[in-house]
Amino acid sequence: MFKVGVYTCLGLFVGWVLLVILQVWFVLFSDEVFLKLTVTMAGLFFAVLAALIVVSQYLSEKKMKDDGFIN
């Protein structure tokens, strides 16, 4: 599960970088649409990253409880 989140964040970031490069060289979208795409990509990136951190912390704490390190 952790790998899926990491690859999703990486894919979103690389996709956005490619989008920026194409926009700079070929102007595929209007400024308004490009801004909307950028904000959407950033929102998705941070949502996946936040979910990844929360799930990671939960699983880490659960493992420590199961192993008897914390109550």
Side-chain angles (χ1 to χ4, degrees):
M1 169 121 165
F2 189 75
K3 286 184 181 180
V4 173
V6 170
Y7 290 137
T8 301
C9 282
L10 182 62
L12 285 167
F13 181 74
V14 169
W16 180 77
V17 168
L18 291 174
L19 184 69
V20 169
I21 291 170
L22 289 173
Q23 181 69 14
V24 166
W25 282 95
F26 302 111
V27 188
L28 301 175
F29 307 104
S30 68
D31 292 342
E32 182 180 331
V33 172
F34 181 70
L35 179 63
K36 288 179 182 180
L37 286 170
T38 297
V39 169
T40 302
M41 295 282 273
L44 289 173
F45 178 85
F46 286 117
V48 170
L49 185 62
L52 187 64
I53 290 170
V54 168
V55 169
S56 174
Q57 289 295 321
Y58 171 76
L59 293 176
S60 175
E61 187 174 313
K62 184 178 182 317
K63 182 172 178 5
M64 287 178 27
K65 281 183 181 179
D66 291 345
D67 292 343
F69 290 113
I70 58 176
N71 291 328

